[in-house]
Amino acid sequence: MLITTDMNRNEQWDARYKEAWQFVETNRRGPSRHHIEEHQLLNWMKFNRKSVNKGTMPAERKEKFQKLTDFIHSFHKINQYI
């Protein structure tokens, strides 16, 4: 998804959120530091995770971001034999 300069910050955040959700749906995992093409999305995830931990993220974004992280965690394997 292309993020342009004429978008406001909320529109940019929503566009990146949709891009992240689509990435997780397609790849069934979160962005990885081992793939150069995923670094931008990974940095967005890390920045937002830090904002949540600091308590500086608005409530509506925090709720959406929590859904995204829960979605990513739903693909984690707890035990290889399950």
Side-chain angles (χ1 to χ4, degrees), residues 45-76:
M45 293 284 297
K46 289 192 304 188
F47 176 81
N48 283 292
R49 193 175 303 121
K50 287 178 183 181
S51 294
V52 168
N53 291 339
K54 284 185 204 174
T56 58
M57 182 179 277
E60 61 198 26
R61 283 188 186 176
K62 185 176 179 180
E63 183 180 324
K64 288 176 82 172
F65 189 72
Q66 185 62 44
K67 287 180 185 177
L68 178 62
T69 55
D70 290 343
F71 186 49
I72 291 171
H73 290 300
S74 71
F75 296 112
H76 289 185

Side-chain angles (χ1 to χ4, degrees), residues 35-47:
H35 296 93
I36 301 270
E37 61 276 1
E38 299 172 15
H39 280 196
Q40 196 171 28
L41 197 55
L42 178 65
N43 288 338
W44 181 83
M45 293 284 297
K46 289 192 304 188
F47 176 81

